[in-house]
Amino acid sequence: MTVTEASVRAEVRAWLEAHWDPELSLRDWRERLADSGWGCPTWPEAWYGRGLPLAMESVVRQEFRRAGAVGIASGGGSGLAAPTILEHGSDELKRALLRPIITGEHAWCQLFSEPGSGSDLAGLTTRADRDGDEFVISGQKVWNTSAHHAQYGMLLARTNWDVPKHRGISYFAFEMEQPGVTVRPLQQMNGYASFNEVFINEARATLHQVIGQVDQGWSVALATLAHERRLAGIHDDTPLEGSGRAIEEYREERAHVMAPYVWYPQRYGRVDLIVKRARETGRDNDPVVRQEIAKLLSLQRAAGWTAERAKQARVLGRPPGPEGSIGKLCGSHIARQAADTHALISESDALLAGEDGPEAGIIAEILLSVPGQSIAGGTDEIQRNILAERQLGLPRDPTTDAGKPFRDVPRNVAD
């Protein structure tokens, strides 16, 4: 039978009419979703899905929204860990980990970044030493948004120091709630504490918790990063309307999960406030201000068209192109230009924080939050390297560690 948008829409609509019950507990509703395959329609049928093409994902999501029905648990578990496990995990891991991700029983965080390796992710020094069928893991991770409430982490650790840096890394489904794991919040200059640093001191993971093969975790990490770019394109913050136990529990869950991200709109520069602020301050007749606003809005519109091209390419199943890196750079440029324009409009008042500041302190928060946009999700410099080397074919940056065992590579942290 040929799968069409109309056939999928009719099938999921009929299923929701027969099974959606907002008075169920959120957990019980998601158990139904896991059994039906409609919660994860593009996953394989053997693993809680229906094996539908990626293009049908938005169709199913639209029908859930139309019915006012709650979907599977969102966040790093369903968006990053689950697709990575589906691609690279053993059947044992799939059986143990996928269903609790769908139901929300297990939250996940990403344990990739380290204070000593910066943007060179492959330079990580968290170590996992073999001890029989287990690994003993020690090191430090940083910039984790969900580590404080996660049951599992996607952990990269070095398991072989005698090969070049990309070849000696393993990828673990790491249990966060165990002795030797300490999570500490990081205070940011904008006043929020959205990130954590994680200290790992002789914690343990079993051989069966390795996703992919031992020492081959780099390719698994690249798969996770690819899913991270895709997740950014389908993020949906639209509030769910209606009432009932499942919906109320979903709202509580959503508020908890999204709490670290409340300042993210300011990180993007809040272009939506620019014209409003110009009118409030009477600067909308200033020709210099008007010119800056026009430049900013034109750039934002062009970036939106690029994002739409990338979205359509994904729907059509085309491999990722340069749009991801271009979009990231555009986002950073727009955020910086928006911050400059806010400062131009509000002048010295832009520095006033709190309720007495412009937009109840939001303008000051923008100025402090925008620099983070150029760092998060791969720095602007990394994106430029990707475009230069992979898209334009320019020579790679010179390196001093190519082919050298990682043990012999100079590092800026003590072993």
Side-chain angles (χ1 to χ4, degrees), residues 249-271:
E249 290 181 2
Y250 164 78
R251 287 176 181 147
E252 293 175 9
E253 174 192 79
R254 187 74 178 162
H256 182 63
V257 170
M258 295 306 294
Y261 306 99
V262 293
W263 60 279
Y264 274 38
Q266 282 68 269
R267 193 178 84 178
Y268 303 136
R270 292 301 300 270
V271 177

Side-chain angles (χ1 to χ4, degrees), residues 118-136:
S119 293
D120 180 17
L121 178 58
L124 62 87
T125 57
T126 292
R127 59 187 309 139
D129 298 316
R130 188 77 175 263
D131 180 20
D133 287 339
E134 294 186 339
F135 290 87
V136 180

Side-chain angles (χ1 to χ4, degrees), residues 80 110 112 121 218 220-230:
L80 303 180
Q110 192 182 56
F112 282 13
L121 178 58
W218 183 249
V220 187
L222 294 181
T224 302
L225 295 174
H227 290 299
E228 189 171 24
R229 290 192 289 271
R230 175 175 172 270

Side-chain angles (χ1 to χ4, degrees), residues 20 22 26 29-30 61-72 236-254:
W20 164 232
L26 185 60
W29 165 241
R30 284 175 172 160
R61 193 179 304 116
Q62 289 165 15
E63 287 304 312
F64 270 65
R65 177 67 60 181
R66 188 196 63 79
V70 178
I72 67 169
D236 183 4
D237 262 345
T238 309
L240 195 60
E241 297 180 352
S243 61
R245 181 179 175 183
I247 292 175
E248 294 304 322
E249 290 181 2
Y250 164 78
R251 287 176 181 147
E252 293 175 9
E253 174 192 79
R254 187 74 178 162

Side-chain angles (χ1 to χ4, degrees), residues 136-180:
V136 180
I137 302 175
S138 296
Q140 182 184 351
K141 299 291 181 177
V142 73
W143 307 123
N144 322 106
T145 51
S146 303
H148 60 292
H149 65 87
Q151 283 74 44
Y152 277 89
M154 294 162 266
L155 172 75
L156 294 180
R158 189 163 300 282
T159 44
N160 190 338
W161 297 70
D162 297 319
V163 295
K165 60 182 181 182
H166 293 90
R167 300 181 194 167
I169 295 170
S170 297
Y171 191 124
F172 294 89
F174 180 70
E175 293 182 39
M176 296 292 290
E177 297 171 339
Q178 62 167 307

